[in-house]
Amino acid sequence: MAALDNLVVTTALPSIRHDLGGSLDDLEWTVNAYTLTFAVLLMFGAALGDRFGRRKLFVVGIATFSVASAGAALAGGVAPLIAARAVQGVGAAIMMPLALTLLTAAVPAARRGAYLGIFSALSGLAVAAGPLVGGSLTEHLSWPWIFWLNVPVGIVLLPLARLRLAESRGPRPRLDVTGTALISTGLFGIVYALVTANSSGWTSARVLLGLILGAALVGLFLRHSARHPDAMLPLRMFRNRTFAGINAVALLMFIGMFGSIFLLSQFLQGVLGYSPTEAGLRMLPWTGMPLLVSPVAGLLSDRFGGRPVVATGLALQAAGLAWFAAVIAPGVSYGTQLPALILSGVGMALYFAPAGSLVMAGVRPGDQGIASGTNNALREVGGALGVATLGAVFSARGGYGSAQAFVDGTRPALWIGAAVVAVGALVAFAVLGRRRADTPVGRPSATNAPQVQDAPGPSAPLEAAAGRDGEPARTA
């Protein structure tokens, strides 16, 4: 639900404007309000779970998201809809990082790669399928159903989460108020600047002020985290090469992928003339491939390690975007696009499958909540940056005036998206590709390690199970 609602509104905007009115900029905020609160509060949501209980906050996140979805469906104007979308983002920011942490604690270590591969595949599929789901529901029912869809799911999930998940907490007994304020306001400035850059202009005072102040506050947060051992984000985690590398790769991957999907979904509809449903179905070789490939990729990462799988996936994703950039034209056939769709789909699946395992492999069990929140925050910031950057390139080199103008703007944007993902592949090969074990910084030795009471239940601590490249250790 949380991942799907990133882009589920995009194909419904014309219908929403017809029913509720408002300017195009107002309607864009039905997308941006969600992205903004989601990205800004991800680390805060993870910190709340560590402090008050991950299962308890996960239930709170589901309830918040479901109630806000009903509010969005019932909105009688653009302003209430934007407000409901912002509250949805708050619920998603609590749910998303805690979901990965709870899943990690709930599954056997030897099969963790496969389970996290399925989790990551569904998350990636949901992001990419948002325009298809939103378009199909809008076309065949009405736009409020893109929000009503979440309500029965939330109602079913609430008792299941309460009864079937084990409670756990992080090691920090109190909230880091200073760190929380610095990172939340810093990310707000950066993300707000990014989502308004194309409408306000990259050199406008609003955008420049948001970027400068946001970056300064993030810098102060890093300084605060380095000086305080009980800070929200222990910087020692980034001394682990695997954790630092997979977060850098996630940022680059989402810049290239998110921005490209945003433009290509519009190309299929606005230039090639497909309906929202037809466009979504034709993108299934890309967006639906994770369902087929990710479980297998998860097993491969358990067997050979997640690092080569991630690097290969990024290389294939970059090749797919480059293929699109080379063949895109106003009258391009679907058969010409199909190899690019398949390459991109396989690449996305290979990346998503082991990514969650690699995030968790290099941190202590008590740090898993904030590690997940950090990774998800970077992904969301990367998505916002990708849409803003590739959208700016599109506007500078083309536009919506004609089919050829749209292609002229999309082609260089896709080349840039492919280049950014290719850099991510190089980072993965260079940083993640070495075959030596990365142990969490500060891990006690096996002979005198104290017992960590972090996640009650049958699951073993992840650290004890993580071996080379984040795969399960061969010996006890």
Side-chain angles (χ1 to χ4, degrees):
M1 292 196 299
L4 181 73
D5 274 50
N6 271 291
L7 294 177
V8 74
V9 178
T10 53
T11 45
L13 290 179
S15 297
I16 294 174
R17 185 179 186 185
H18 179 269
D19 290 349
L20 302 182
S23 67
L24 184 59
D25 287 343
D26 292 334
L27 293 177
E28 286 179 352
W29 273 103
T30 63
V31 180
N32 295 338
Y34 181 82
T35 303
L36 189 61
T37 54
F38 190 10
V40 165
L41 296 175
L42 272 162
M43 292 180 65
F44 185 43
L48 287 176
D50 285 348
R51 172 65 179 86
F52 297 106
R54 292 162 179 161
R55 181 188 65 185
K56 182 187 298 183
L57 265 294
F58 185 64
V59 170
V60 170
I62 294 173
T64 302
F65 189 90
S66 302
V67 171
S69 296
L74 295 170
V78 174
L81 177 60
I82 293 172
R85 287 285 286 165
V87 178
Q88 268 192 312
V90 174
I94 298 173
M95 284 194 300
M96 198 68 169
L98 298 180
L100 185 57
T101 309
L102 290 166
L103 178 62
T104 300
V107 300
R111 300 165 65 186
R112 189 168 285 132
Y115 280 105
L116 294 181
I118 295 172
F119 174 87
S120 299
L122 290 173
S123 298
L125 172 65
V127 171
L132 167 61
V133 174
S136 299
L137 290 174
T138 300
E139 184 178 340
H140 299 295
L141 294 172
S142 61
W143 67 262
W145 282 98
I146 64 180
F147 302 114
W148 283 126
L149 178 68
N150 297 320
V151 177
V153 178
I155 292 173
V156 171
L157 285 177
L158 283 171
L160 287 176
R162 180 66 183 83
L163 297 174
R164 300 293 297 172
L165 295 176
E167 185 60 280
S168 64
R169 287 177 171 83
R172 285 164 287 278
R174 64 180 61 184
L175 284 176
D176 176 12
V177 177
T178 302
T180 298
L182 287 172
I183 191 62
S184 297
T185 52
L187 286 177
F188 178 86
I190 293 172
V191 177
Y192 179 80
L194 292 176
V195 299
T196 58
N198 287 331
S199 59
S200 300
W202 283 89
T203 58
S204 67
R206 177 189 304 178
V207 172
L208 292 177
L209 188 63
L211 291 174
I212 294 170
L213 289 181
L217 289 170
V218 170
L220 289 174
F221 168 75
L222 295 176
R223 182 183 179 186
H224 167 80
S225 299
R227 292 185 171 186
H228 294 80
D230 295 328
M232 173 200 289
L233 178 63
L235 292 186
R236 55 177 164 73
M237 293 194 301
F238 287 92
R239 295 202 296 268
N240 178 276
R241 192 182 66 237
T242 297
F243 183 76
I246 194 62
N247 278 288
V249 164
L251 180 68
L252 294 168
M253 168 67 173
F254 269 70
I255 289 174
M257 183 196 73
F258 214 88
S260 298
I261 288 179
F262 182 76
L263 290 173
L264 287 172
S265 63
Q266 295 181 72
F267 168 75
L268 291 174
Q269 296 175 64
V271 176
L272 299 186
Y274 296 121
S275 71
T277 304
E278 292 170 338
L281 290 174
R282 281 163 175 78
M283 290 188 75
L284 277 178
W286 183 358
T287 60
M289 192 64 72
L291 282 180
L292 300 177
V293 177
S294 284
V296 178
L299 294 173
L300 290 175
S301 69
D302 280 342
R303 177 66 181 86
F304 300 106
R307 303 172 183 188
V309 180
V310 163
T312 303
L314 289 166
L316 290 176
Q317 177 73 84
L321 293 178
W323 190 304
F324 258 122
V327 303
I328 192 169
V332 63
S333 68
Y334 183 67
T336 305
Q337 302 172 59
L338 191 57
L341 290 165
I342 294 174
L343 276 176
S344 298
V346 174
M348 185 166 67
L350 291 177
Y351 164 78
F352 277 123
S357 296
L358 288 171
V359 169
M360 297 303 194
V363 300
R364 302 171 179 175
D367 292 332
Q368 288 171 6
I370 197 62
S372 175
T374 301
N375 184 256
N376 278 283
L378 287 172
R379 285 167 48 166
E380 290 300 314
V381 171
L385 181 59
V387 171
T389 304
L390 271 61
V393 173
F394 168 81
S395 299
R397 300 296 298 272
Y400 292 95
S402 65
Q404 187 60 53
F406 193 96
V407 169
D408 290 341
T410 302
R411 184 182 293 114
L414 290 178
W415 279 119
I416 291 175
V420 171
V421 178
V423 171
L426 294 176
V427 171
F429 278 120
V431 178
L432 300 179
R434 299 174 188 174
R435 307 290 295 183
R436 72 169 177 82
D438 262 336
T439 56
V441 175
R443 178 197 294 178
S445 64
T447 57
N448 59 2
Q451 295 297 315
V452 179
Q453 298 298 327
D454 180 71
S459 59
L462 178 62
E463 290 183 49
R468 182 189 62 190
D469 293 348
E471 61 182 296
R474 297 281 189 260
T475 57

